[in-house]
Amino acid sequence: MIKPDGVHRGLVGDVIKRFEQRGYKLVGIKVLVPSRELAAKHYAEHDGKPFFPKLVDFLSSGAVVAMVFEGKDIVRTGRTMVGATNPLASSPGTLRGDYGIDVGRNVIHGSDSVESAMREIALWFKADELADYTPAWIYE
Ligand code: RTP
Ligand code: MG
């Protein structure tokens, strides 16, 4: 998910491009301004932590782009492409390492496990909003 800072900064195209050129398949995408309730559900694992209120405020402060990508090892590779939570600790070449310096403005969210991805996909998308197709010119 591209967070409000990434959308405001015009980084949507670059984020999608990086996943596309790596070979991942975009199967779902939507733009929305999340409610505080949806943002809190998304980050429920952090409820009670000191940064939680700010996190929910920020995620619901503007438009986000929610996406579902498919492909080999997408969760692990996706997290590598996203970079470390704190952009200052993210390597150049990662999204956060290329675009951020502040932990509260780190451009993008990436699911941290397959289980989290399944939960988050169900939270943000209806089943009929995900496309079922095979781009046979990339995958054997
Ligand atoms: P995300 O869920 O957004 O992909 O980020 P992440 O897995 O790398 O990090 P996570 O621990 O899940 O934290 C969620 C978001 O909360 C903000 N955060 N602030 N100490 C702090 O002030 C702090 N720690 C985390 C970050 O924006 C992080 O992306
Ligand atoms: Mg996380």
Side-chain angles (χ1 to χ4, degrees):
M1 177 189 307
I2 305 168
K3 299 183 186 182
D5 52 329
V7 175
H8 291 178
R9 292 171 62 185
L11 301 178
V12 174
D14 184 58
V15 172
I16 294 173
K17 178 172 178 283
R18 290 179 186 221
F19 283 90
E20 279 186 327
Q21 73 187 10
R22 188 76 189 255
Y24 289 118
K25 181 173 68 160
L26 182 61
V27 300
I29 184 166
K30 65 168 66 167
V31 186
L32 71 159
V33 180
S35 64
R36 295 194 85 256
E37 185 191 9
L38 180 55
K41 276 189 190 162
H42 175 76
Y43 278 127
E45 65 173 307
H46 299 305
D47 196 352
K49 294 181 186 172
F51 60 84
F52 183 72
K54 257 175 43 178
L55 184 59
V56 169
D57 284 347
F58 183 63
L59 196 71
S60 57
S61 71
V64 304
V65 179
M67 293 176 288
V68 181
F69 283 95
E70 273 182 18
K72 278 184 193 166
D73 220 6
I74 176 64
V75 172
R76 193 194 332 239
T77 310
R79 292 280 289 189
T80 301
M81 291 166 70
V82 164
T85 304
N86 187 338
L88 290 178
S90 299
S91 303
T94 64
L95 279 156
R96 290 171 177 167
D98 285 348
Y99 286 124
I101 50 174
D102 199 335
V103 72
R105 297 289 186 274
N106 59 7
V107 176
I108 185 166
H109 159 77
S111 303
D112 63 10
S113 66
V114 173
E115 293 69 33
S116 299
M118 300 312 285
R119 187 188 74 85
E120 291 164 7
I121 290 167
L123 189 60
W124 292 88
F125 290 89
K126 297 178 189 139
D128 67 2
E129 292 172 335
L130 303 175
D132 184 8
Y133 67 103
T134 304
W137 50 97
I138 298 177
Y139 305 103
E140 59 183 20

